[in-house]
Amino acid sequence: MSSSGTRTIVSDGTRTQLFAEDIFGSLQRSEQRRWARAYLWALTHVSGKKTPRQLARAESLPSSAVNGLNQFINGSPWDWRPVRSRLAQWVSANAAPYAWTVTELIIPKNGEHSVGVHHRVDATTGRTVNCQRAVGLFLATGTGCFPVDWSLVLSGPWGWDVERRLRARVPKAEQARPAGAHVVDYAASVLAQPQLPRVPWVLDLTRCEDASGVLAGLARQGVDMVCEVDPDQVVLIGRHTPTVSTVGALMEMRHARKPHAMMRQTQGGHTKVVPLHSYTGIVRLPQLDIDGEGNSRTYRVLERPDPDGRQPARYWITSLVDRDVEEVLALVRGRAATLAAVTTMRERFGVLDFEGRSFPGWHHHMTMASAAYIYQHLHAAPHSVPLTPTLSQPELIGTAG
């Protein structure tokens, strides 16, 4: 950003200024950091679609800022990975994390040129949609669930069409692979950062194309997990001569399951008893699931039948074999909180609104949307004094090279 017409969005000492300086400190150039602060401010103060043109309508930005915002997202070569790592560290330090969780985001698109766009059957409606498919990593805390990383699932020609990949600036190392592989990569990335919390992974694998691969990948890394699975999820029972079974078949054996009950408060303030079952033995996974010391990990199978018998039972596989069943399933609340967070990000923070076509541009926008969500819901707490931007003399129009 040059000094020919740009203004500093937030003065020193304000919450936005301090948050932005912390989160975007890895950006090498000062103009990149200023545009990051501008983009963050606009995301939290402009309603409607979150495109550079719309964001430039923020009261604290001149209309000509659209070029700088667009350049910052689509042209500037800043690395989003250190920013996301800092976001995860910041959430960990300012909340009470209890689980990592992952969710899928389907982004409808027009045309065929946006990076990763493909035709996919919507699991809910059964219709074929033209879309991008993203996988988001969230940290569940006592305050809420917060997005700290994103992956774009590439498939079809995006894995082998050299010309298409070059146009979208897809790195050579980024290959077409199933969504589950991104989940396993997330776990490896978290383990590689000692400052991040070692809390369980709470996942819904009921729609995952390779649930067994995800379970085995997490097991190889030795992380604790509570994973909802389909009733036909294969497991091994027996220590010396293991036999193959499914979690659904195990829980149909009445003599092999133990009853439990969990108390829940209804919306009307009444207490509801939720029946639960646990398999009395332990199970292992059929794929390679050897921990770092060469030992095969063991798991427990849990079932939550529908009290009214109108819905199918739900099943979980967990490595938390020494914890109470109620304590284990209490972690699952993070899944609902994550879905609520995604809904808010769709409606208010523009995760569906990126109009560029490049791989770096998409990651830049998703990083900024995540930072804005975390700032709004954790840093700028509702009980805090409302933040009013203090503007200095013009110095904000330029490019974020």
Side-chain angles (χ1 to χ4, degrees):
M1 302 179 192
S2 71
S3 60
S4 59
T6 301
R7 293 175 293 173
T8 301
I9 301 309
V10 183
S11 67
D12 292 338
T14 64
R15 290 189 300 274
T16 300
Q17 177 83 12
L18 294 175
F19 180 81
E21 288 179 352
D22 188 343
I23 299 302
F24 303 112
S26 62
L27 274 60
Q28 296 182 355
R29 300 178 61 176
S30 59
E31 65 267 26
Q32 292 172 331
R33 296 191 293 273
R34 287 197 293 269
W35 281 115
R37 191 166 68 251
Y39 207 92
L40 176 70
W41 173 261
L43 281 173
T44 56
H45 287 79
V46 175
S47 59
K49 293 194 69 174
K50 302 300 192 292
T51 63
R53 186 170 300 278
Q54 287 292 111
L55 296 179
R57 296 180 179 179
E59 292 183 1
S60 52
L61 289 173
S63 58
S64 54
V66 62
N67 292 329
L69 295 174
N70 183 68
Q71 170 68 13
F72 173 69
I73 293 297
N74 292 300
S76 185
W78 57 276
D79 189 349
W80 59 86
R81 290 167 296 186
V83 176
R84 293 180 183 176
S85 178
R86 184 60 196 142
L87 281 173
Q89 295 169 23
W90 198 92
V91 173
S92 300
N94 288 275
Y98 65 83
W100 294 99
T101 188
V102 174
T103 195
E104 182 180 85
L105 176 66
I106 299 300
I107 306 172
K109 303 297 290 187
N110 294 320
E112 301 178 351
H113 300 291
S114 295
V115 60
V117 71
H118 63 286
H119 295 293
R120 179 174 177 80
V121 176
D122 188 300
T124 303
T125 65
R127 297 179 179 178
T128 299
V129 294
N130 194 58
C131 64
Q132 294 168 317
R133 184 186 184 195
V135 178
L137 174 64
F138 286 69
L139 189 53
T141 76
T143 309
C145 284
F146 300 97
V148 296
D149 206 353
W150 292 94
S151 295
L152 193 61
V153 180
L154 302 179
S155 60
W158 289 103
W160 51 262
D161 190 327
V162 176
E163 182 178 351
R164 178 177 295 197
R165 288 170 59 89
L166 285 174
R167 283 200 305 267
R169 291 186 283 155
V170 179
K172 292 182 179 180
E174 195 69 29
Q175 300 298 318
R177 52 203 179 118
H182 294 278
V183 178
V184 177
D185 282 352
Y186 282 152
S189 176
V190 168
L191 287 176
Q193 301 178 67
Q195 60 273 50
L196 295 183
R198 300 300 185 255
V199 291
W201 287 72
V202 179
L203 306 175
D204 181 357
L205 301 180
T206 56
R207 294 183 179 179
C208 181
E209 299 95 332
D210 185 24
S212 293
V214 174
L215 291 169
L218 296 180
R220 281 193 293 268
Q221 297 181 50
V223 300
D224 282 319
M225 57 187 175
V226 182
C227 297
E228 185 170 1
V229 296
D230 287 325
D232 58 358
Q233 175 61 50
V234 174
V235 292
L236 301 178
I237 56 175
R239 184 177 298 273
H240 301 294
T241 56
T243 59
V244 177
S245 184
T246 64
V247 296
L250 287 181
M251 304 312 287
E252 289 179 357
M253 300 185 295
R254 295 183 180 275
H255 67 279
R257 69 187 190 193
K258 180 180 178 181
H260 303 265
M262 183 165 59
M263 309 303 292
R264 286 285 182 88
Q265 293 292 323
T266 65
Q267 292 183 349
H270 302 290
T271 300
K272 179 181 180 180
V273 178
V274 179
L276 304 169
H277 299 137
S278 65
Y279 179 59
T280 55
I282 58 174
V283 302
R284 291 177 171 79
L285 301 179
Q287 295 193 27
L288 177 66
D289 68 338
I290 305 300
D291 64 19
E293 298 178 355
N295 302 312
S296 180
R297 301 194 77 191
T298 57
Y299 303 87
R300 181 170 23 170
V301 176
L302 306 177
E303 177 191 43
R304 177 180 172 180
D306 180 44
D308 301 323
R310 299 176 182 175
Q311 299 293 330
R314 298 172 65 184
Y315 302 91
W316 289 268
I317 291 178
T318 178
S319 61
L320 303 174
V321 296
D322 297 326
R323 295 196 191 181
D324 292 338
V325 171
E326 296 82 355
E327 181 184 355
V328 172
L329 289 188
L331 296 173
V332 177
R333 71 187 187 276
R335 289 290 307 153
T338 301
L339 296 178
V342 170
T343 298
T344 301
M345 295 189 73
R346 289 163 58 105
E347 295 174 350
R348 295 179 52 198
F349 293 92
V351 292
L352 304 184
D353 297 342
F354 175 64
E355 293 182 342
R357 297 178 176 181
S358 73
F359 185 88
W362 183 87
H363 276 282
H364 288 162
H365 178 74
M366 297 300 284
T367 301
M368 295 306 304
S370 298
Y373 181 89
I374 291 170
Y375 171 79
Q376 191 75 14
H377 288 81
L378 189 57
H379 190 56
H383 61 270
S384 301
V385 178
L387 178 63
T388 301
T390 302
L391 304 180
S392 64
Q393 296 300 315
E395 62 165 353
L396 181 73
I397 297 295
T399 59

